[in-house]
Amino acid sequence: MNFSSMSADRMQYLRDNAIRDILSAAARPGMISLAGGVPAPESFPMDVLGLLFDQALSAFGPRALQYDRTEGFAPLCQALSAHLAHCGVHAPPSGVIITSGAQGALDALGKTLITPGDTVAVESPTYLGALQAFSPYRPRFEELPMDDQGLDPEALDALLRARRVKFIYLCPTFQNPTGRTLSLERRKRVAQIIQSRGVLLIEDDPYRDLRYSGEPVHTIHSMAPDHVAYVGTLSKVFAPAFRIGYCVAPGPVQRWLVKAKQGVDLCSGTLGQALAALYIADGHLDRHLPHIVALYRARLHAMLEALQQHMPRGSQWSRPQGGMFVWVRGPAGFDAAAAYAEALKSNVAYVPGRYFFANTPQPETMRLNFTAHDPETVARGVQVLAGIIKTRVDRRHAPAHEDIHKPLLHRI
Amino acid sequence: MNFSSMSADRMQYLRDNAIRDILSAAARPGMISLAGGVPAPESFPMDVLGLLFDQALSAFGPRALQYDRTEGFAPLCQALSAHLAHCGVHAPPSGVIITSGAQGALDALGKTLITPGDTVAVESPTYLGALQAFSPYRPRFEELPMDDQGLDPEALDALLRARRVKFIYLCPTFQNPTGRTLSLERRKRVAQIIQSRGVLLIEDDPYRDLRYSGEPVHTIHSMAPDHVAYVGTLSKVFAPAFRIGYCVAPGPVQRWLVKAKQGVDLCSGTLGQALAALYIADGHLDRHLPHIVALYRARLHAMLEALQQHMPRGSQWSRPQGGMFVWVRGPAGFDAAAAYAEALKSNVAYVPGRYFFANTPQPETMRLNFTAHDPETVARGVQVLAGIIKTRVDRRHAPAHEDIHKPLLHRI
């Protein structure tokens, strides 16, 4: 059969997932992987799982094994409604939609909002998974510049003045990939802008609860609930295996999401939702969270210390107060993709920053994850990586060497 | 904010899920629901769940709680590969893709194959969920006529001669909604047609294992594996709560599915996949299946008996050898949608057949589910329904009455 002409036109707009190959190389035994973005296995509440399982079956019986509402398992919507109120996201249980991972919310938002050719504004850099969720629906991406305080609200305002934007996608707290947090001041300005310009904002907030220092910052949703679709997940504070994301959105958007979800998966996994409902409602989440925070805090500290100690002059990096990532910019002329093969040979993996840009990659950047290894291993990984960067940058200043290595530099 | 112009163009092509309202009315206490399409709670393997849970955690540890491969949890792909071989679907473990319910496979197939305007051929009637999965990608549907032996292969051949078709979607075994099974003879002819015309067929096979009489019929996949994307599910023989579907497809289609799935949900629920792997590999499925079959066989028998005994002259119905549904055609002039309110008042629910047609509804048809109640209740439901049909048809033959009732007849 001739498959060459068979795929849908939209397939050419799907982002190639080069990062999957990177992650699979990073999973090799003996590798210090700073590449992943997954929770540490030690963060899972293994000790309460058996209890939750028994309780779920006794509380809900066969209902925990059956199809359930597309909107989400009612006891979980209830538990999340109460939990989110503490974070300043106010919604009745009927206002919380459960999705199959936060990814499921992003796909459904893309599907229900994007007509091909619509403009979607994203941070530069932004979350790769959001680009993958939106791309098949064929938007045009506009990139919003960022600094250490997050995106520049005036650039957003200028964009909205210049052209019609379907929605803005932000990850304002401990952003993936930069770890940066949008300041309170800027959030207020962003809220004001989207209200005055009448535009929808998707606030993707997967790392909210993973704060290791500083004070919580109000969500943009709390400042402009009628203009924000707020997306969260239990993957980082419970377990990814249950694929539980959620979305609190203005009424019409919520109804569109449910309609789209019906065609995509009918409903999310019921047993997982039942376990999650009990995990939250019975206080396990509140009791367990400090353990996760303490675990990751030490790892972030180790990474920042090691960066300070080993990175060559001319490097810069973010100093996150939470989340899972540090964003590193190598010295001028460094190419993180070109250096990748050499790093792998030295048993250190990371993700070159280029994958996180909608339009214009910055080749000298990279994303480092600090949650996968103990502090000593994280520090050793950074030291090895810093050594590679240093050698490569030094080489650039010795022209004879550079010529020799050029083919290698461009192999990836 | 002005939401009226905000939704994507494709939203107008999403099918309104009128059936959701029907199912929610059907869930009222005291209702005899012949409307649903969900497994009976008594069919769930409640007694082995605790064992599976303990074994999954001890065999896989934290891996059962982590993100996993987009393609599916390797031990489940392995178990399904072996299980499917017994059903004549031959694929190595790497050829089995796990999706979030069979619905997830249908969505991904629609997304990766349908360019707006492409023709998709479906049976008349066909599965509502497939129409919902494909519609947002904006195909044109062509309906293939059916009789008691399933679709007419020569009509398929004529269509393929007349126009370019992107793919054919069939549910050839115990079809939802008709319960009909495509005969072996016709399967061979369909396989021959798709091979000679070089067209892809989606074989949706959720009810395969629910056979109450007769002999298994070979899958179309076994006759033309290079031209068939075979879709299955564990929702009917394990539990829907785990949202586990699977797909065996030609190489390029399989790669497209994985790429699309990455943007939709990253991976399916890992713990559910781990439980399912053990459920199949340790022989629980083979041991439990006869209980499900015996449970449903008695219910189907009760429904067919009651139809024979009570349905008014001029009615017809399918006589399935398995699955979950009987398809009923009322006497000439009967309108199943118009009768629905009256049935609800008498505490019987069903689904009017009109929702299962891509283009041209047949108003006198309805789908009856027989798996939700014990045999006596199923029979009582059919008796009440038959009484309503009879009264309405009699009324039509008394013109004075018909005029009086016309507004009521057309209220739904």
Side-chain angles (χ1 to χ4, degrees):
Chain A
M1 192 157 56
N2 175 17
F3 289 100
S4 62
S5 62
M6 189 177 283
S7 69
D9 282 355
R10 74 180 63 78
M11 285 303 284
Q12 61 189 290
Y13 300 91
L14 253 72
R15 303 239 154 189
D16 237 352
N17 200 346
I19 201 177
R20 274 164 56 91
D21 299 334
I22 287 175
L23 293 179
S24 106
R28 284 193 336 225
M31 188 69 67
I32 301 181
S33 176
L34 311 176
V38 308
E42 312 92 280
S43 77
F44 299 147
M46 300 300 284
D47 52 331
V48 298
L49 265 191
L51 176 71
L52 292 176
F53 180 83
D54 292 343
Q55 287 180 337
L57 286 194
S58 93
F60 305 116
R63 185 183 160 199
L65 297 193
Q66 189 58 281
Y67 290 104
D68 200 73
R69 301 188 320 151
T70 304
E71 294 86 342
F73 188 64
L76 177 58
C77 295
Q78 183 109 30
L80 273 171
S81 170
H83 174 72
L84 286 170
H86 295 292
C87 317
V89 175
H90 294 281
S94 64
V96 180
I97 302 296
I98 308 299
T99 56
S100 298
Q103 193 70 29
L106 299 180
D107 170 64
L109 287 163
K111 191 177 209 168
T112 58
L113 294 170
I114 301 169
T115 296
D118 278 354
T119 298
V120 169
V122 298
E123 293 154 309
S124 171
T126 187
Y127 170 51
L128 172 64
L131 296 178
Q132 289 185 297
F134 302 150
S135 290
Y137 305 112
R138 304 178 53 179
R140 294 174 42 148
F141 289 111
E142 285 284 342
E143 295 184 296
L144 299 167
M146 300 178 83
D147 61 23
D148 277 349
Q149 304 293 305
L151 100 154
D152 173 3
E154 301 318 317
L156 171 63
D157 195 47
L159 173 66
L160 296 180
R161 265 200 312 271
R163 60 153 64 226
R164 193 174 134 74
V165 167
K166 191 45 101 57
F167 63 80
I168 305 147
Y169 168 80
L170 298 187
C171 179
T173 305
F174 315 137
Q175 194 221 26
N176 182 355
T178 65
R180 291 167 181 154
T181 295
L182 189 65
S183 67
L184 179 61
E185 197 94 341
R186 290 194 181 179
R187 286 174 192 234
K188 288 180 182 164
R189 179 74 181 114
V190 167
Q192 193 183 51
I193 291 169
I194 58 174
Q195 283 171 320
S196 70
R197 305 248 169 236
V199 65
L200 184 73
L201 183 142
I202 299 177
E203 181 175 17
D204 190 6
D205 207 10
Y207 310 109
R208 180 193 61 229
D209 292 326
L210 304 181
R211 173 172 284 282
Y212 318 129
S213 65
E215 290 302 315
V217 191
H218 293 295
T219 63
I220 306 174
H221 183 274
S222 69
M223 303 169 188
D226 294 340
H227 292 72
V228 175
Y230 181 87
V231 176
T233 178
L234 297 181
S235 292
K236 320 300 180 202
V237 295
F238 185 30
F242 303 111
R243 311 306 303 117
I244 300 175
Y246 50 88
C247 184
V248 174
V253 177
Q254 179 181 329
R255 286 188 289 277
W256 298 333
L257 288 184
V258 173
K259 201 167 163 180
K261 182 174 167 58
Q262 181 78 11
V264 172
D265 61 19
L266 300 178
C267 67
S268 293
T270 319
L271 181 63
Q273 293 185 76
L275 298 176
L278 298 172
Y279 181 68
I280 299 171
D282 293 353
H284 299 291
L285 170 58
D286 289 340
R287 281 190 294 277
H288 185 65
L289 194 52
H291 298 285
I292 305 179
V293 166
L295 182 75
Y296 290 165
R297 181 189 284 125
R299 295 173 182 199
L300 169 60
H301 187 72
M303 178 167 280
L304 292 176
E305 287 274 298
L307 285 164
Q308 187 64 44
Q309 199 175 338
H310 302 294
M311 282 296 279
R313 187 187 304 270
S315 311
Q316 296 177 301
W317 55 92
S318 60
R319 284 168 183 78
Q321 296 191 316
M324 303 175 73
F325 306 105
V326 172
W327 184 245
V328 175
R329 186 180 297 278
F334 172 70
D335 183 333
Y340 190 68
E342 195 175 334
L344 275 195
K345 268 189 230 141
S346 305
N347 286 324
V348 176
Y350 58 89
V351 182
R354 57 185 307 162
Y355 300 112
F356 302 98
F357 293 89
N359 299 333
T360 316
Q362 296 170 5
E364 71 281 14
T365 56
M366 56 193 136
R367 187 190 79 174
L368 304 189
N369 166 271
F370 56 81
T371 60
H373 299 283
D374 62 69
E376 295 66 33
T377 310
V378 168
R380 199 162 65 248
V382 170
Q383 182 174 4
V384 172
L385 182 58
I388 291 167
I389 296 171
K390 198 165 178 315
T391 315
R392 294 183 72 85
V393 173
D394 288 350
R395 245 187 243 152
R396 278 184 60 87
H397 298 130
H401 274 88
E402 191 190 16
D403 289 347
I404 292 168
H405 287 280
K406 211 147 195 175
L408 179 68
L409 278 166
H410 294 274
R411 194 179 296 158
I412 296 179
Chain B
M1 193 157 57
N2 176 17
F3 290 99
S4 62
S5 62
M6 188 176 284
S7 70
D9 282 354
R10 76 180 62 76
M11 285 303 284
Q12 61 188 289
Y13 300 91
L14 253 73
R15 303 239 154 189
D16 237 352
N17 200 345
I19 201 178
R20 274 164 56 91
D21 299 334
I22 287 175
L23 293 179
S24 108
R28 285 193 335 226
M31 188 70 67
I32 300 180
S33 176
L34 311 176
V38 307
E42 312 92 279
S43 76
F44 299 148
M46 300 300 285
D47 52 330
V48 298
L49 265 190
L51 176 71
L52 292 176
F53 180 83
D54 293 343
Q55 286 180 336
L57 286 193
S58 92
F60 306 116
R63 184 182 161 201
L65 296 193
Q66 188 59 282
Y67 291 105
D68 200 75
R69 301 188 319 152
T70 304
E71 293 87 340
F73 189 64
L76 177 58
C77 295
Q78 181 110 31
L80 273 171
S81 169
H83 175 72
L84 285 170
H86 295 291
C87 316
V89 176
H90 294 280
S94 64
V96 181
I97 302 297
I98 307 299
T99 56
S100 298
Q103 193 71 29
L106 298 180
D107 170 64
L109 287 164
K111 192 176 207 168
T112 57
L113 293 171
I114 301 169
T115 296
D118 278 355
T119 297
V120 169
V122 298
E123 292 154 310
S124 172
T126 187
Y127 171 51
L128 172 64
L131 296 178
Q132 289 184 298
F134 302 150
S135 290
Y137 305 112
R138 303 177 54 179
R140 294 173 43 147
F141 289 111
E142 285 283 343
E143 296 184 296
L144 299 167
M146 300 178 82
D147 60 24
D148 276 348
Q149 304 293 305
L151 99 155
D152 173 4
E154 300 319 316
L156 172 63
D157 195 48
L159 173 67
L160 296 181
R161 263 200 313 269
R163 60 153 64 223
R164 192 173 134 74
V165 167
K166 191 46 101 57
F167 63 80
I168 304 147
Y169 168 80
L170 298 188
C171 179
T173 304
F174 316 138
Q175 194 220 27
N176 182 354
T178 65
R180 290 167 183 153
T181 294
L182 189 65
S183 66
L184 179 62
E185 197 93 341
R186 290 195 183 178
R187 286 174 192 233
K188 287 180 181 164
R189 179 75 181 114
V190 168
Q192 191 183 53
I193 292 169
I194 59 175
Q195 283 171 321
S196 69
R197 304 248 169 235
V199 65
L200 184 73
L201 184 143
I202 299 177
E203 181 174 18
D204 190 5
D205 207 10
Y207 310 108
R208 180 192 60 229
D209 292 327
L210 303 181
R211 173 172 283 281
Y212 319 129
S213 65
E215 290 302 315
V217 190
H218 292 295
T219 62
I220 306 174
H221 183 274
S222 68
M223 303 170 190
D226 294 340
H227 291 72
V228 174
Y230 181 87
V231 176
T233 177
L234 297 180
S235 292
K236 320 303 179 203
V237 296
F238 184 31
F242 303 112
R243 311 306 302 119
I244 300 176
Y246 50 89
C247 185
V248 174
V253 177
Q254 179 180 331
R255 286 188 289 278
W256 297 334
L257 288 184
V258 173
K259 201 167 164 180
K261 182 172 166 59
Q262 180 78 9
V264 172
D265 60 19
L266 301 178
C267 66
S268 292
T270 320
L271 181 63
Q273 293 185 75
L275 298 176
L278 297 172
Y279 181 68
I280 299 171
D282 293 353
H284 298 291
L285 170 57
D286 289 340
R287 280 191 294 277
H288 186 64
L289 194 54
H291 297 286
I292 305 179
V293 166
L295 182 75
Y296 290 165
R297 180 189 285 128
R299 295 173 182 198
L300 169 60
H301 187 72
M303 178 167 280
L304 291 176
E305 287 274 297
L307 285 165
Q308 188 65 45
Q309 197 174 341
H310 302 295
M311 283 295 278
R313 187 187 305 271
S315 311
Q316 295 177 303
W317 55 91
S318 60
R319 285 169 182 79
Q321 296 191 317
M324 303 175 75
F325 307 105
V326 172
W327 184 246
V328 175
R329 185 180 297 278
F334 173 71
D335 184 332
Y340 190 68
E342 196 175 330
L344 275 195
K345 267 188 232 143
S346 305
N347 286 324
V348 175
Y350 58 89
V351 182
R354 58 186 304 162
Y355 300 112
F356 302 99
F357 294 89
N359 300 333
T360 315
Q362 297 172 3
E364 72 280 13
T365 57
M366 56 194 138
R367 187 190 78 176
L368 304 189
N369 165 270
F370 56 81
T371 60
H373 298 283
D374 63 69
E376 294 68 32
T377 311
V378 167
R380 200 163 64 248
V382 170
Q383 182 173 5
V384 172
L385 182 58
I388 291 168
I389 296 172
K390 197 165 179 315
T391 314
R392 294 182 73 86
V393 173
D394 289 348
R395 247 186 243 152
R396 280 184 59 90
H397 298 131
H401 275 87
E402 191 188 16
D403 288 348
I404 292 168
H405 287 279
K406 211 148 196 177
L408 179 69
L409 278 165
H410 293 275
R411 193 178 296 157
I412 297 180

